[in-house]
Amino acid sequence: MLEVRRATADDYPDMSAMGQEIGLHHHQALPHLITPDAMSEAAFHGLLADSSYSVMLGVDNGEIVGYLIYKVVDVPADEYFYAQRNLYVQEISIYQRHQRKGYGEALMNHAVEAAKAQGVSRVTLRVWAFNQGAVAFYERLGFAAETIMMAREL
């Protein structure tokens, strides 16, 4: 059973290692946009210090297997949209050696339960179009595309 706990400053080495794995995956797909670098230690400590973010770790039998970073975002109404309160999943990563064991789903379920506990009715996230494995994962969990951002290189 996966334990989900808040990250501490001592968890940076694992966060960095997982970030390096996912960063390299993204960099290989989009080398002109994404660096292969992991989150810096300063940025990690900044997230921990920012009370608007929740930095959570998935731990199984004492071993860190993944992380989840999210925050609640209040979006005001404008002339086109109603006001919204979303839980935005900024990042999720599972060590490659622990993928496809249910840890990602457990962390996403944690995000959904955190949203419910805070009176939030929507969980949102972004996923790169090239990452079809992640797209299929989120769709299996009930997520659906609402917008598609497109780009043209010049």
Side-chain angles (χ1 to χ4, degrees), residues 56-117:
M56 311 303 291
L57 295 178
V59 182
D60 190 13
N61 292 319
E63 181 183 4
I64 295 171
V65 298
Y67 72 83
L68 170 71
I69 301 172
Y70 63 86
K71 70 188 243 177
V72 174
V73 179
D74 290 304
V75 181
D78 65 20
E79 62 185 284
Y80 301 108
F81 297 98
Y82 297 111
Q84 300 173 40
R85 188 158 210 247
N86 301 323
L87 185 141
Y88 175 67
V89 174
Q90 179 171 311
E91 290 184 39
I92 181 172
S93 184
I94 306 296
Y95 271 123
Q96 288 177 356
R97 68 184 179 271
H98 290 297
Q99 291 180 358
R100 292 174 181 46
K101 296 180 182 177
Y103 297 132
E105 184 172 350
L107 285 174
M108 289 303 295
N109 287 340
H110 173 84
V112 168
E113 291 307 313
K116 289 177 184 177

Coordinates of all heavy atoms in Angstrom, one line a residue, residues 56-117:
M56 N 4.2 16.3 -2.6 CA 3.9 15.0 -2.0 C 4.7 13.9 -2.5 O 5.1 13.9 -3.7 CB 2.4 14.6 -2.2 CG 1.4 15.7 -1.8 SD 1.5 16.4 -0.2 CE 1.0 15.0 0.8
L57 N 5.1 12.9 -1.7 CA 5.9 11.8 -2.1 C 5.0 10.5 -1.9 O 4.3 10.4 -1.0 CB 7.1 11.7 -1.3 CG 8.1 12.8 -1.4 CD1 9.3 12.5 -0.5 CD2 8.6 12.9 -2.8
G58 N 5.2 9.6 -2.9 CA 4.7 8.3 -2.7 C 5.8 7.4 -2.2 O 6.9 7.3 -2.7
V59 N 5.5 6.7 -1.1 CA 6.5 5.8 -0.4 C 5.9 4.4 -0.2 O 4.8 4.3 0.2 CB 6.9 6.4 1.0 CG1 8.0 5.6 1.6 CG2 7.3 7.9 0.8
D60 N 6.7 3.4 -0.7 CA 6.3 2.1 -0.5 C 7.4 1.3 0.2 O 8.5 1.2 -0.3 CB 6.0 1.4 -1.9 CG 5.3 0.0 -1.8 OD1 4.9 -0.3 -0.7 OD2 5.3 -0.7 -2.8
N61 N 7.0 0.7 1.3 CA 8.0 0.0 2.2 C 9.2 0.8 2.4 O 10.4 0.3 2.3 CB 8.3 -1.4 1.5 CG 7.2 -2.3 1.5 OD1 6.4 -2.4 2.5 ND2 7.0 -3.0 0.4
G62 N 9.1 2.1 2.7 CA 10.2 2.9 3.1 C 10.9 3.5 1.9 O 11.9 4.3 2.1
E63 N 10.6 3.1 0.7 CA 11.3 3.6 -0.5 C 10.4 4.6 -1.2 O 9.2 4.4 -1.5 CB 11.6 2.4 -1.4 CG 12.3 2.9 -2.7 CD 12.6 1.7 -3.6 OE1 12.2 0.6 -3.4 OE2 13.3 2.0 -4.7
I64 N 11.0 5.8 -1.6 CA 10.3 6.8 -2.4 C 10.2 6.3 -3.8 O 11.2 5.9 -4.4 CB 11.1 8.1 -2.3 CG1 11.0 8.7 -0.9 CG2 10.4 9.1 -3.3 CD1 11.9 9.9 -0.7
V65 N 9.0 6.2 -4.3 CA 8.7 5.7 -5.6 C 8.2 6.8 -6.6 O 8.3 6.5 -7.8 CB 7.8 4.5 -5.6 CG1 8.3 3.3 -4.8 CG2 6.4 4.9 -5.1
G66 N 7.7 7.9 -6.1 CA 7.2 8.9 -7.0 C 6.9 10.2 -6.2 O 6.9 10.2 -5.0
Y67 N 6.5 11.2 -7.0 CA 6.1 12.5 -6.4 C 5.0 13.1 -7.2 O 4.7 12.8 -8.3 CB 7.3 13.4 -6.2 CG 7.8 14.1 -7.5 CD1 7.2 15.2 -8.1 CD2 9.0 13.6 -8.1 CE1 7.7 15.8 -9.2 CE2 9.5 14.1 -9.3 CZ 8.9 15.3 -9.8 OH 9.3 15.8 -11.0
L68 N 4.4 14.1 -6.5 CA 3.2 14.8 -7.0 C 3.3 16.2 -6.5 O 3.5 16.4 -5.3 CB 1.9 14.1 -6.5 CG 0.6 14.8 -6.7 CD1 0.2 14.8 -8.2 CD2 -0.5 14.2 -5.9
I69 N 3.2 17.2 -7.4 CA 3.2 18.6 -7.0 C 1.9 19.2 -7.5 O 1.5 19.1 -8.7 CB 4.4 19.4 -7.6 CG1 5.7 18.7 -7.2 CG2 4.3 20.8 -7.2 CD1 6.9 19.3 -7.9
Y70 N 1.1 19.8 -6.6 CA -0.2 20.4 -7.0 C -0.4 21.7 -6.2 O 0.2 21.9 -5.2 CB -1.3 19.4 -6.9 CG -1.6 18.9 -5.5 CD1 -2.5 19.7 -4.7 CD2 -1.1 17.7 -5.1 CE1 -2.7 19.2 -3.4 CE2 -1.4 17.3 -3.8 CZ -2.2 18.0 -3.0 OH -2.5 17.6 -1.7
K71 N -1.4 22.4 -6.7 CA -1.9 23.6 -6.0 C -3.3 23.9 -6.4 O -3.7 23.5 -7.5 CB -1.0 24.8 -6.2 CG -1.0 25.4 -7.6 CD 0.0 26.5 -7.8 CE -0.5 27.8 -8.0 NZ 0.5 28.9 -8.1
V72 N -4.0 24.6 -5.5 CA -5.4 25.0 -5.8 C -5.3 26.4 -6.4 O -4.6 27.3 -5.9 CB -6.2 25.0 -4.5 CG1 -7.6 25.6 -4.8 CG2 -6.4 23.6 -3.9
V73 N -6.0 26.5 -7.5 CA -5.9 27.8 -8.3 C -7.4 28.3 -8.4 O -8.3 27.6 -8.9 CB -5.3 27.5 -9.7 CG1 -5.3 28.8 -10.5 CG2 -4.0 26.9 -9.6
D74 N -7.6 29.5 -8.0 CA -8.8 30.2 -8.2 C -8.8 31.1 -9.4 O -7.9 32.0 -9.5 CB -9.2 31.0 -6.9 CG -9.5 30.2 -5.7 OD1 -10.4 29.3 -5.8 OD2 -8.8 30.3 -4.7
V75 N -9.6 30.8 -10.4 CA -9.7 31.5 -11.6 C -10.9 32.4 -11.6 O -12.0 31.9 -11.5 CB -9.7 30.6 -12.8 CG1 -9.7 31.4 -14.1 CG2 -8.5 29.6 -12.8
P76 N -10.8 33.7 -11.7 CA -11.9 34.6 -11.6 C -12.8 34.5 -12.9 O -12.3 34.1 -14.0 CB -11.4 36.0 -11.5 CG -10.0 35.9 -12.0 CD -9.5 34.5 -11.8
A77 N -14.0 34.8 -12.8 CA -14.9 34.9 -14.0 C -14.5 36.0 -14.9 O -13.9 37.0 -14.4 CB -16.4 35.1 -13.5
D78 N -14.7 35.9 -16.1 CA -14.6 37.0 -17.1 C -15.8 36.9 -18.0 O -16.8 36.2 -17.8 CB -13.2 36.9 -17.8 CG -13.1 35.7 -18.7 OD1 -14.1 35.0 -19.1 OD2 -11.9 35.3 -19.0
E79 N -15.7 37.6 -19.1 CA -16.9 37.7 -20.0 C -17.2 36.4 -20.7 O -18.3 36.3 -21.2 CB -16.7 38.9 -21.0 CG -15.6 38.7 -21.9 CD -15.4 39.9 -22.8 OE1 -16.2 40.1 -23.8 OE2 -14.5 40.7 -22.5
Y80 N -16.3 35.5 -20.7 CA -16.5 34.2 -21.4 C -16.6 33.0 -20.5 O -17.2 32.0 -20.9 CB -15.3 33.9 -22.4 CG -15.2 35.0 -23.4 CD1 -14.1 35.9 -23.4 CD2 -16.1 35.2 -24.4 CE1 -14.0 36.9 -24.3 CE2 -16.0 36.2 -25.4 CZ -14.9 37.0 -25.3 OH -14.8 38.0 -26.3
F81 N -16.0 33.1 -19.3 CA -15.9 31.9 -18.5 C -16.5 32.2 -17.1 O -16.3 33.3 -16.6 CB -14.5 31.4 -18.3 CG -13.9 30.9 -19.6 CD1 -13.1 31.8 -20.4 CD2 -14.1 29.7 -20.1 CE1 -12.5 31.4 -21.6 CE2 -13.6 29.2 -21.3 CZ -12.8 30.1 -22.0
Y82 N -17.0 31.2 -16.5 CA -17.4 31.2 -15.1 C -16.2 31.2 -14.2 O -15.2 30.6 -14.6 CB -18.4 30.1 -14.7 CG -19.7 30.1 -15.5 CD1 -19.9 29.1 -16.4 CD2 -20.6 31.1 -15.2 CE1 -21.1 29.1 -17.1 CE2 -21.8 31.1 -15.9 CZ -22.1 30.1 -16.9 OH -23.2 30.1 -17.6
A83 N -16.3 31.6 -13.0 CA -15.2 31.5 -12.0 C -15.0 30.0 -11.7 O -16.0 29.2 -11.8 CB -15.6 32.2 -10.7
Q84 N -13.8 29.6 -11.5 CA -13.4 28.2 -11.3 C -12.5 28.1 -10.1 O -11.7 29.0 -9.9 CB -12.8 27.6 -12.5 CG -13.6 27.6 -13.8 CD -12.7 27.2 -14.9 OE1 -11.9 26.3 -14.8 NE2 -12.9 27.8 -16.1
R85 N -12.6 27.0 -9.4 CA -11.6 26.6 -8.4 C -11.1 25.3 -8.8 O -11.8 24.3 -8.7 CB -12.2 26.6 -7.0 CG -11.2 26.4 -5.9 CD -11.8 27.0 -4.6 NE -10.7 27.4 -3.8 CZ -10.4 26.9 -2.7 NH1 -11.0 25.8 -2.2 NH2 -9.4 27.3 -2.0
N86 N -9.8 25.2 -9.2 CA -9.2 24.0 -9.7 C -8.1 23.5 -8.9 O -7.4 24.4 -8.3 CB -8.7 24.2 -11.2 CG -9.7 24.6 -12.1 OD1 -10.9 24.2 -12.1 ND2 -9.3 25.5 -13.1
L87 N -7.9 22.2 -8.8 CA -6.6 21.7 -8.2 C -5.8 21.4 -9.5 O -6.2 20.6 -10.3 CB -6.9 20.5 -7.4 CG -5.6 20.0 -6.7 CD1 -5.9 19.5 -5.3 CD2 -4.9 18.9 -7.5
Y88 N -4.7 22.1 -9.6 CA -3.8 21.9 -10.8 C -2.7 21.0 -10.4 O -1.9 21.3 -9.5 CB -3.4 23.3 -11.2 CG -2.4 23.2 -12.4 CD1 -2.8 22.8 -13.6 CD2 -1.0 23.6 -12.2 CE1 -1.9 22.7 -14.7 CE2 -0.1 23.5 -13.2 CZ -0.5 23.0 -14.5 OH 0.4 22.9 -15.5
V89 N -2.5 19.9 -11.1 CA -1.4 19.0 -10.9 C -0.3 19.6 -11.8 O -0.3 19.5 -13.0 CB -1.8 17.6 -11.4 CG1 -0.5 16.7 -11.3 CG2 -2.9 17.0 -10.5
Q90 N 0.7 20.1 -11.2 CA 1.8 20.7 -11.9 C 2.8 19.6 -12.4 O 3.3 19.7 -13.5 CB 2.6 21.7 -11.0 CG 3.8 22.3 -11.7 CD 4.4 23.5 -10.9 OE1 3.6 24.3 -10.4 NE2 5.7 23.4 -10.7
E91 N 3.1 18.7 -11.5 CA 4.0 17.6 -11.9 C 3.6 16.3 -11.2 O 3.2 16.3 -10.1 CB 5.5 17.9 -11.5 CG 6.1 19.0 -12.3 CD 7.6 19.2 -11.9 OE1 8.3 18.1 -11.6 OE2 8.0 20.3 -11.8
I92 N 3.8 15.2 -11.9 CA 3.8 13.9 -11.3 C 4.9 13.1 -12.0 O 5.1 13.2 -13.2 CB 2.4 13.2 -11.4 CG1 2.4 11.8 -10.7 CG2 2.0 13.2 -12.9 CD1 1.1 11.2 -10.7
S93 N 5.6 12.3 -11.2 CA 6.7 11.5 -11.7 C 6.8 10.3 -10.8 O 6.7 10.3 -9.6 CB 8.0 12.3 -11.7 OG 9.0 11.5 -12.4
I94 N 7.0 9.2 -11.5 CA 7.3 7.9 -10.9 C 8.6 7.4 -11.4 O 8.9 7.5 -12.6 CB 6.2 6.8 -11.2 CG1 4.8 7.4 -10.9 CG2 6.5 5.5 -10.5 CD1 4.5 7.7 -9.4
Y95 N 9.5 6.9 -10.5 CA 10.8 6.3 -11.0 C 10.4 5.3 -12.0 O 9.5 4.5 -11.9 CB 11.5 5.6 -9.8 CG 12.4 6.4 -9.0 CD1 12.3 6.5 -7.6 CD2 13.5 7.1 -9.6 CE1 13.2 7.2 -6.8 CE2 14.4 7.8 -8.8 CZ 14.2 7.9 -7.4 OH 15.1 8.6 -6.7
Q96 N 11.2 5.3 -13.1 CA 11.0 4.4 -14.2 C 10.9 3.0 -13.7 O 10.0 2.2 -14.2 CB 12.0 4.6 -15.3 CG 11.9 5.8 -16.1 CD 13.0 6.1 -17.1 OE1 13.9 5.3 -17.2 NE2 12.8 7.2 -17.9
R97 N 11.7 2.6 -12.8 CA 11.7 1.2 -12.3 C 10.5 0.8 -11.5 O 10.2 -0.3 -11.3 CB 13.0 0.9 -11.5 CG 13.0 1.6 -10.2 CD 14.3 1.4 -9.4 NE 14.4 2.1 -8.2 CZ 14.9 3.3 -8.0 NH1 15.3 4.0 -9.1 NH2 14.9 3.9 -6.8
H98 N 9.7 1.8 -11.2 CA 8.4 1.6 -10.4 C 7.2 1.9 -11.2 O 6.1 1.9 -10.7 CB 8.5 2.4 -9.1 CG 9.4 1.9 -8.1 ND1 9.4 0.7 -7.6 CD2 10.5 2.5 -7.6 CE1 10.4 0.5 -6.7 NE2 11.1 1.6 -6.7
Q99 N 7.3 2.2 -12.5 CA 6.1 2.5 -13.3 C 5.3 1.3 -13.6 O 5.9 0.2 -13.5 CB 6.6 3.2 -14.6 CG 7.1 4.6 -14.3 CD 7.5 5.4 -15.6 OE1 7.5 4.8 -16.7 NE2 8.0 6.6 -15.4
R100 N 4.1 1.5 -13.8 CA 3.1 0.4 -14.1 C 2.9 -0.5 -13.0 O 2.6 -1.7 -13.1 CB 3.5 -0.3 -15.4 CG 3.4 0.5 -16.6 CD 3.9 -0.1 -17.9 NE 3.8 0.7 -19.1 CZ 4.2 2.0 -19.2 NH1 4.6 2.7 -18.2 NH2 4.1 2.6 -20.4
K101 N 3.0 0.0 -11.8 CA 2.7 -0.7 -10.5 C 1.5 -0.1 -9.8 O 1.3 -0.5 -8.6 CB 3.9 -0.8 -9.7 CG 5.1 -1.5 -10.3 CD 6.3 -1.5 -9.3 CE 7.5 -2.2 -10.0 NZ 8.7 -2.2 -9.1
G102 N 0.9 0.9 -10.3 CA -0.3 1.5 -9.7 C 0.1 2.7 -8.8 O -0.8 3.4 -8.2
Y103 N 1.4 3.1 -8.8 CA 1.8 4.2 -7.9 C 1.3 5.6 -8.5 O 0.9 6.5 -7.8 CB 3.3 4.3 -7.8 CG 3.9 3.1 -7.1 CD1 5.0 2.4 -7.6 CD2 3.3 2.6 -5.9 CE1 5.5 1.3 -6.9 CE2 3.9 1.5 -5.2 CZ 4.9 0.9 -5.7 OH 5.5 -0.2 -5.1
G104 N 1.3 5.7 -9.8 CA 0.9 7.0 -10.4 C -0.6 7.2 -10.2 O -1.1 8.2 -9.8
E105 N -1.4 6.1 -10.3 CA -2.8 6.1 -10.1 C -3.1 6.5 -8.6 O -4.0 7.3 -8.3 CB -3.5 4.8 -10.4 CG -5.0 4.9 -10.3 CD -5.7 3.6 -10.8 OE1 -5.0 2.8 -11.5 OE2 -6.9 3.5 -10.6
A106 N -2.3 5.9 -7.7 CA -2.5 6.2 -6.3 C -2.2 7.7 -6.0 O -3.0 8.3 -5.2 CB -1.6 5.3 -5.4
L107 N -1.2 8.2 -6.6 CA -0.9 9.6 -6.4 C -2.0 10.5 -7.0 O -2.4 11.5 -6.4 CB 0.5 10.0 -7.0 CG 1.7 9.5 -6.1 CD1 3.0 9.8 -6.9 CD2 1.7 10.2 -4.8
M108 N -2.5 10.2 -8.2 CA -3.5 11.0 -8.8 C -4.8 10.8 -7.9 O -5.6 11.8 -7.8 CB -3.8 10.5 -10.2 CG -2.7 10.9 -11.1 SD -2.3 12.7 -11.2 CE -3.9 13.3 -11.9
N109 N -5.1 9.7 -7.4 CA -6.2 9.5 -6.5 C -6.1 10.4 -5.2 O -7.0 11.0 -4.7 CB -6.4 8.1 -6.0 CG -7.0 7.2 -7.2 OD1 -7.6 7.7 -8.1 ND2 -6.8 5.9 -7.1
H110 N -4.8 10.5 -4.7 CA -4.6 11.5 -3.6 C -4.9 12.9 -4.0 O -5.6 13.6 -3.2 CB -3.1 11.4 -3.2 CG -2.7 12.4 -2.2 ND1 -3.0 12.2 -0.8 CD2 -2.2 13.7 -2.3 CE1 -2.6 13.3 -0.2 NE2 -2.1 14.2 -1.1
A111 N -4.5 13.3 -5.2 CA -4.9 14.6 -5.7 C -6.4 14.9 -5.8 O -6.9 15.9 -5.3 CB -4.3 14.9 -7.1
V112 N -7.1 13.9 -6.3 CA -8.6 14.0 -6.3 C -9.2 14.1 -4.9 O -10.1 14.9 -4.7 CB -9.2 12.7 -7.1 CG1 -10.7 12.6 -6.9 CG2 -8.8 12.8 -8.6
E113 N -8.7 13.3 -4.0 CA -9.2 13.4 -2.6 C -8.8 14.7 -2.0 O -9.6 15.3 -1.2 CB -8.7 12.2 -1.8 CG -9.3 10.8 -2.2 CD -10.8 10.8 -2.3 OE1 -11.5 11.3 -1.3 OE2 -11.4 10.4 -3.3
A114 N -7.6 15.2 -2.2 CA -7.2 16.5 -1.7 C -8.2 17.6 -2.3 O -8.6 18.5 -1.6 CB -5.8 16.8 -2.1
A115 N -8.5 17.5 -3.6 CA -9.4 18.5 -4.2 C -10.8 18.4 -3.5 O -11.3 19.5 -3.1 CB -9.6 18.2 -5.7
K116 N -11.3 17.2 -3.3 CA -12.6 17.1 -2.6 C -12.6 17.7 -1.2 O -13.5 18.4 -0.8 CB -13.0 15.6 -2.6 CG -13.4 15.1 -3.9 CD -13.7 13.6 -3.8 CE -14.0 12.9 -5.1 NZ -14.3 11.5 -4.9
A117 N -11.5 17.4 -0.5 CA -11.4 17.9 0.9 C -11.3 19.4 0.9 O -11.7 20.0 2.0 CB -10.1 17.3 1.5

